[in-house]
Amino acid sequence: MNQMGKFQRSWLLLKSSLSIMGANKQLLVFPVVIVSLTVVIILFFLAPAVLRPTGYSYAQPEHWQAISHSLFTNSEAVPGQRGPQFGFTPAAIVYLALLYFVSMFFATFFNVAFYNEILAALSGQSVSIGRGLKFAFTRWKAILLWTLFAGLVGLIIKAIEQRLEIVGRLLARYIGLAWSIASVFVIPIIVREEQSANPLNMLKKSAGILKRTWGEALIGYAGLAVANTLIVIGSVVLLMGALFASIALNNYWLIAITGVLWLFAMVGWSYVTSVASQVYKGALYLYAAEGVVAEPYSEELLEMAWKFKKTGSSSRTKDAT
């Protein structure tokens, strides 16, 4: 891969992202706060549907049966199909659509807050959870419009997948991949551009930044996957070593304790690498949109951020700006 192997590139990217996180430890706390607030908000909107009065106490099964009947429909089995058919009532469909858009809105809102602080950290500033949340409030209009647009696109892709069966799944996968690549910089654009609120313009700008910097032959995001995969494989090898030692010593507490520790370590590592990936994407945006190479990344590392078609990788060019 140019002058640098895939593993070396991925490992250097991971080290660079971890160094940014080490200097700004609140970046590790931010996703925990985001998830906690999101759960509280979703429960707040979900509570009216399941805790509304039915004439029975919440401890009685009749209450939950009444709630179930108000949300789900049940029709008799028809020839050629197994068992009764379940569906949602019209009221439940409206309520689920509301929950879908509410959850998307707050996910986008908190991502804007997170990326505001990621870009601050990459620019050498301190990180503040409170400042990030306050900043996201100033972008509420762009967040709302993007939520409605992205949510509608998501529903269309899902409808294509369900209605066209095998062809639909292939088509939906292709559209989903194109969408994920084209929209990769939308959140940083919301952060950086105060006047940008039109979701179509934001999508075009995100795709335009990719095309201008890396060309048209993109087929996927390289990211930190190679180094992360090798680390996970190494940990599995150690786990298997503990298993063989446990069998040899006839001490099954060894593998039990090692297995629990391995599981916690993998959960923690997955969390850290997910944050590192977001930091890296922030660095990519600064490089592609503003021409800034955030330390400790290098231009060579950022240039090799994407996977390319074999026929197009050799011909891609970077426009002069």
Side-chain angles (χ1 to χ4, degrees), residues 48 51-56 58 63 67:
L51 299 181
R52 63 182 178 81
T54 59
Y56 303 98
Y58 299 138
H63 169 79
I67 295 296

Side-chain angles (χ1 to χ4, degrees), residues 239 255-266:
L239 182 65
I255 186 57
I257 295 172
T258 304
V260 170
L261 292 176
W262 178 84
L263 183 61
F264 278 105
M266 286 298 96

Side-chain angles (χ1 to χ4, degrees), residues 175-233:
I175 296 173
L177 176 62
W179 168 261
S180 65
I181 293 175
S183 62
V184 69
F185 289 141
V186 166
I187 298 300
I189 287 171
I190 294 176
V191 172
R192 281 304 217 221
E193 301 192 14
E194 186 174 354
Q195 303 302 321
S196 181
N198 185 314
L200 277 174
N201 288 342
M202 290 190 290
L203 182 63
K204 289 178 182 178
K205 183 142 195 176
S206 176
I209 290 172
L210 284 173
K211 180 181 176 182
R212 183 178 69 244
T213 309
W214 289 286
E216 299 179 336
L218 302 180
I219 59 171
Y221 174 60
L224 313 174
V226 176
N228 187 42
T229 300
L230 290 177
I231 289 172
V232 171
I233 291 173

Side-chain angles (χ1 to χ4, degrees), residues 77-98:
V78 296
Q81 294 182 344
R82 296 180 179 179
Q85 303 300 302
F86 293 93
F88 293 104
T89 64
I93 292 173
V94 171
Y95 196 73
L96 287 173
L98 175 63

Side-chain angles (χ1 to χ4, degrees), residues 1 9-10 13 220-226 280 284 304-307:
M1 194 173 192
R9 178 199 61 81
S10 187
L13 286 175
Y221 174 60
L224 313 174
V226 176
Y280 175 44
L284 287 177
M304 294 188 292
W306 299 91
K307 301 174 184 176

